């Protein structure tokens, strides 16, 4: 029987698991690597606190420009949402770095696009199975902080064939999902995956921090118990309803006055890993831009009920320059 993610999560599948001890271990690992697990401190130290105030921030136009056809990606085939969200977060952050064209502060190397077959792009660019394989058991569910720690320490693989490892990750399949798990990847896999690592990560708390990290060009993924309507209103907005133990990521934030006047507060753009699972208009209020298939705006207050992590693929957190849509959003 085909896996129906909406049905499965609505029926109680635990894709995202809360584990405070894992969160503590994750924070310690960031500190040991010279990073800062406190997102508020990061935003102030790198001088982007408040950067997103009053603005429409969108990450997906850059992501889709660098990787045409990337979104919405394939629908989940099992309860691997945490790995899917972490990988998607890395793709968005990497795409923005590629678009910037700036040399890395440590290596001096300019980030370039990985060489992938076309189907590797439409299947997700980064293979979440290469994170999922390190969870240490077979079966559904994982912890957001563990996925982030794997991304930083073990690294990840991109969507292409790996003849040296004996498998092909070009496509997302039930077979690739069986890699690893209770049988941890070996040394050859680790040597390959450590060619691509998240350089650091941090815990982000609350809607204003999420807003500012997105505005600085860093994607944020989350774990929560929140479910949402599968229909969007005339501006792409969906109501929070029901409960999913699920992980998703955010690709935009709308802090404009016109939006807050209409919805009573700012909105955040959720991106799901269920492909074209929802329906309704996608046009952003006051613009000629459509949000991606599979995404939806929701009230920014939903952020306050999530565990959130940002990933950086470069040394530190220098703010990137994103296209400005202004306080009105007209382009």
């Amino acid at each position: 029987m085909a896996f129906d993610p909406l049905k499965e999560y609505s029926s109680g599948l635990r894709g995202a698991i809360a584990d405070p001890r894992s969160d503590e271990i994750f924070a310690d690992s960031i500190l040991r690597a010279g990073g800062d697990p406190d997102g508020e401190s990061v935003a102030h130290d790198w001088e982007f606190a408040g950067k997103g105030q009053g603005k429409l921030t969108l990450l997906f136009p850059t992501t889709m420009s660098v990787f045409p056809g990337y979104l919405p990606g394939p629908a989940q085939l099992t309860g691997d949402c945490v790995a899917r969200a972490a990988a998607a977060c890395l793709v968005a952050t990497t795409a923005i770095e590629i678009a910037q064209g700036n040399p890395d502060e440590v290596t001096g190397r300019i980030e370039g696009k990985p060489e992938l077959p076309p189907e590797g792009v439409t299947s997700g660019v980064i293979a979440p199975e290469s994170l999922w394989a390190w969870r240490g058991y077979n079966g559904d569910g994982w912890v957001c902080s563990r996925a982030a720690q794997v991304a930083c320490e073990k690294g990840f693989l991109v969507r292409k064939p790996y003849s040296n490892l004996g498998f092909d990750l070009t496509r997302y399949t039930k077979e690739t999902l069986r890699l690893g798990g209770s049988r941890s990847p070996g040394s050859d896999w680790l040597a390959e995956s450590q060619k691509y690592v998240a350089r650091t990560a941090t815990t982000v708390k609350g809607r204003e921090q999420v807003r500012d990290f997105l505005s600085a060009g860093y994607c944020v993924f989350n774990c929560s118990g929140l479910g949402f309507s599968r229909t969007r209103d005339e501006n792409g907005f969906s109501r929070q309803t029901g409960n999913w133990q699920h992980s998703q990521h955010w690709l935009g934030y709308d802090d404009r006055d016109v939006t807050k006047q209409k919805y009573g507060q700012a909105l955040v753009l959720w991106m799901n890993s269920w492909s074209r699972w929802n329906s309704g208009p996608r046009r952003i209020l006051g613009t000629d831009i459509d949000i991606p298939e599979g995404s939806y705006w929701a009230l920014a207050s939903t952020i306050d009920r999530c565990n959130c992590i940002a990933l950086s693929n470069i040394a530190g957190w220098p703010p990137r320059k994103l296209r400005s849509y202004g306080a009105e959003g007209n382009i």
Side-chain angles (χ1 to χ4, degrees):
M1 182 179 296
F3 183 80
D4 182 340
L6 177 58
K7 178 181 177 181
E8 295 293 336
Y9 280 87
S10 298
S11 299
L13 187 151
R14 293 181 69 226
I17 301 170
D19 186 347
R21 179 55 184 155
S22 290
D23 297 344
E24 293 174 358
I25 294 171
F26 167 62
D28 288 344
S29 72
I30 296 173
L31 287 169
R32 289 197 306 272
D36 187 344
D38 180 356
E40 182 178 17
S41 173
V42 168
H44 281 92
D45 289 348
W46 289 91
E47 299 181 348
F48 60 81
K51 179 178 172 63
Q53 186 173 358
K55 298 177 181 177
L56 172 62
T57 296
L58 303 173
L59 273 60
F60 68 85
T62 300
T63 305
M64 296 176 76
S65 174
V66 173
F67 299 115
Y70 159 66
L71 294 172
Q76 276 180 245
L77 297 174
T78 191
D80 63 334
C81 57
V82 171
R84 289 287 301 266
C89 181
L90 283 163
V91 173
T93 295
T94 299
I96 290 168
E97 182 60 24
I98 291 170
Q100 299 290 297
N102 295 325
D104 186 277
E105 292 185 357
V106 171
T107 66
R109 186 166 56 91
I110 296 176
E111 186 76 38
K113 289 174 61 173
E115 294 185 7
L116 303 177
E119 193 174 10
V121 175
T122 58
S123 296
V125 180
I126 289 173
E129 303 97 308
S130 65
L131 302 173
W132 181 240
W134 293 97
R135 68 194 184 282
Y137 51 85
N138 297 328
D140 296 322
W142 206 14
V143 182
C144 266
S145 57
R146 289 185 185 174
Q149 188 171 350
V150 167
C152 291
E153 295 179 354
K154 309 294 188 183
F156 52 90
L157 301 173
V158 295
R159 287 226 171 277
K160 67 177 186 178
Y162 287 90
S163 58
N164 58 322
L165 299 179
F167 53 74
D168 186 347
L169 290 178
T170 302
R171 297 174 59 244
Y172 172 74
T173 68
K174 291 181 179 179
E175 287 70 33
T176 58
L177 283 166
R178 296 191 185 103
L179 295 169
S182 60
R183 184 178 180 180
S184 294
S187 58
D188 290 343
W189 176 315
L190 181 61
E192 190 71 39
S193 66
Q194 286 189 324
K195 295 177 183 178
Y196 299 99
V197 294
R199 297 287 288 277
T200 190
T202 194
T203 300
V204 183
K205 295 181 179 180
R207 65 190 84 169
E208 292 184 356
Q209 286 185 34
V210 168
R211 178 198 68 194
D212 293 341
F213 270 84
L214 293 173
S215 184
Y218 295 99
C219 191
V220 180
F221 76 106
N222 65 77
C223 284
S224 81
L226 303 177
F228 294 88
S229 169
R230 68 182 309 170
T231 59
R232 295 178 292 248
D233 75 0
E234 68 274 14
N235 301 306
F237 171 84
S238 293
R239 293 180 301 106
Q240 193 278 308
T241 181
N243 300 283
W244 305 332
Q245 300 301 314
H246 190 30
S247 182
Q248 303 181 60
H249 66 292
W250 292 306
L251 287 176
Y253 197 99
D254 192 346
D255 199 47
R256 295 173 297 162
D257 287 341
V258 64
T259 299
K260 289 185 282 190
Q261 289 166 6
K262 182 171 181 62
Y263 292 99
Q265 59 178 270
L267 303 181
V268 65
L269 184 62
W270 292 71
M271 186 71 213
N272 208 343
S273 48
W274 299 349
S275 196
R276 294 173 176 85
W277 72 283
N278 55 353
S279 62
R282 296 184 290 121
R283 184 59 48 92
I284 299 174
L285 178 66
T287 77
D288 62 0
I289 304 170
D290 288 339
I291 61 175
E293 296 275 12
S295 69
Y296 54 94
W297 293 104
L299 296 177
S301 57
T302 57
I303 295 170
D304 302 334
R305 297 160 65 188
C306 299
N307 293 327
C308 319
I309 295 174
L311 297 170
S312 176
N313 62 335
I314 56 175
W317 302 90
R320 284 86 165 263
K321 293 182 180 179
L322 300 179
R323 180 175 180 180
S324 175
Y325 299 96
E328 296 300 324
N330 298 311
I331 59 173

